[in-house]
Amino acid sequence: MQKAIEVKGLRKSFKDTEVLRGVDFEVKRGEIFALLGSNGAGKTTIVRILATLLEQDGGTAIVNGFDVASKPEQVRHAISLTGQFAAVDEILTGRENLILIAKLRHLEHPRLVADEMLIRFGLTDAADRKAATYSGGMRRRLDIALSLVGQTQIIFLDEPTTGLDPEARIEVWKIAKELADGGTTIFLTTQYLDEAEHLADRIAILHEGRIIAHGTLEELKRLFPPAKVEYVEKQPSLEEIFLAIIGKREGRQP
């Protein structure tokens, strides 16, 4: 399967603090790839580098076949970024938000594009309401819809469910699954381990500036001590696996 993203030896420091210390990973086309890490681990720094918003200090990052440092314009044409907070214009209606982005991307028939996205994301009934009146889940749906105007091939979801209630989180999960099923590559960062457990095809754990484990959920489970058999065999959750791996790296017992 072709690689959508390939990162080798990525390094980044802020003043005297080394945030990324040689990060390596790859993301296959059409998969949901989850990057896990504690606060300050460097997840958003990686996203900003891959999205051409921040220059790395060393290493290489290839997105959709283009180097982010030397070919940023080509990278930007292939990606969209949805951050931790919905980037919608609250003064405009949902429809007006979508039309604006379609015009900024020089698409033909921007109103038709907006109508199609409203249907796709279940926002038709609220299309002509100001975004300020939307619930958290609706704003996030609109935010992701805005990111996908123009048939984006790769979407970065940087902690997309931060601050959302459980129902809204499930809405975002459903959208992410549908996008991946349609061939869109999803790069997801999250602190919610159940989110990665439900969504991700493959998972990488970022700790102290390096990727310390990666693979499918089943592959990561093999890094965990064998399940104890009592009356039933209890499989470890991703949260238990994550804490066990981090604990080993810091010299603690899981």
Side-chain angles (χ1 to χ4, degrees):
M1 190 180 292
Q2 272 190 314
K3 299 170 186 174
I5 301 171
E6 186 175 9
V7 172
K8 293 183 178 178
L10 201 63
R11 294 182 175 275
K12 183 64 183 179
S13 298
F14 295 100
K15 295 185 178 179
D16 297 328
T17 303
E18 193 175 20
V19 178
L20 304 179
R21 305 178 181 184
V23 171
D24 301 280
F25 64 84
E26 60 185 45
V27 180
K28 299 174 183 177
R29 290 193 182 278
E31 76 172 348
I32 299 179
F33 179 89
L35 181 64
L36 305 182
S38 307
N39 273 334
K43 301 187 301 298
T44 297
T45 298
I46 290 175
V47 169
R48 291 182 66 199
I49 291 172
L50 295 179
T52 75
L53 300 176
L54 183 68
E55 292 184 4
Q56 72 263 41
D57 296 331
T60 59
I62 308 297
V63 176
N64 201 42
F66 298 102
D67 186 282
V68 298
S70 62
K71 303 286 186 181
E73 286 297 325
Q74 288 88 335
V75 171
R76 290 172 194 149
H77 283 301
I79 67 170
S80 287
L81 169 62
T82 296
Q84 297 179 27
F85 304 100
V88 302
D89 190 326
E90 296 189 349
I91 297 175
L92 301 180
T93 66
R95 190 189 308 278
E96 289 168 342
N97 268 279
L98 287 161
I99 290 173
L100 174 63
I101 296 300
K103 287 181 177 178
L104 289 173
R105 295 194 174 181
H106 306 291
L107 300 181
E108 294 183 2
H109 312 298
R111 180 170 289 275
L112 180 60
V113 170
D115 288 344
E116 290 173 349
M117 297 303 283
L118 289 165
I119 292 170
R120 181 178 180 183
F121 286 88
L123 291 169
T124 303
D125 290 344
D128 297 312
R129 283 169 42 197
K130 288 188 177 181
T133 68
Y134 284 15
S135 67
M138 292 169 67
R139 288 189 193 195
R140 180 54 78 194
R141 274 187 279 157
L142 178 59
D143 192 30
I144 296 174
L146 293 170
S147 298
L148 292 175
V149 169
Q151 297 183 340
T152 301
Q153 300 173 57
I154 301 167
I155 182 168
F156 294 95
L157 300 179
D158 188 18
E159 301 194 18
T161 59
T162 297
L164 297 185
D165 60 40
E167 185 177 1
R169 287 181 68 203
I170 291 171
E171 285 184 25
V172 174
W173 291 1
K174 181 181 177 183
I175 291 169
K177 279 286 190 184
E178 289 174 351
L179 291 172
D181 289 343
T184 302
T185 303
I186 306 289
F187 186 101
L188 169 73
T189 74
T190 182
Q191 296 182 61
Y192 300 127
L193 302 184
D194 61 327
E195 189 159 85
E197 196 164 4
H198 277 86
L199 292 178
D201 297 302
R202 289 190 307 120
I203 299 162
I205 296 175
L206 181 67
H207 183 59
E208 295 182 347
R210 291 187 176 89
I211 300 294
I212 61 172
H214 61 86
T216 65
L217 180 58
E218 290 304 315
E219 288 169 342
L220 292 179
K221 282 182 178 180
R222 295 186 197 122
L223 302 176
F224 197 80
K228 294 180 180 179
V229 178
E230 294 175 349
Y231 294 103
V232 295
E233 181 177 303
K234 180 181 180 295
Q235 291 294 325
S237 67
L238 182 56
E239 182 174 8
E240 291 171 324
I241 295 167
F242 176 82
L243 293 174
I245 292 171
I246 295 297
K248 286 178 183 177
R249 285 283 169 152
E250 294 180 345
R252 299 196 304 265
Q253 293 298 316

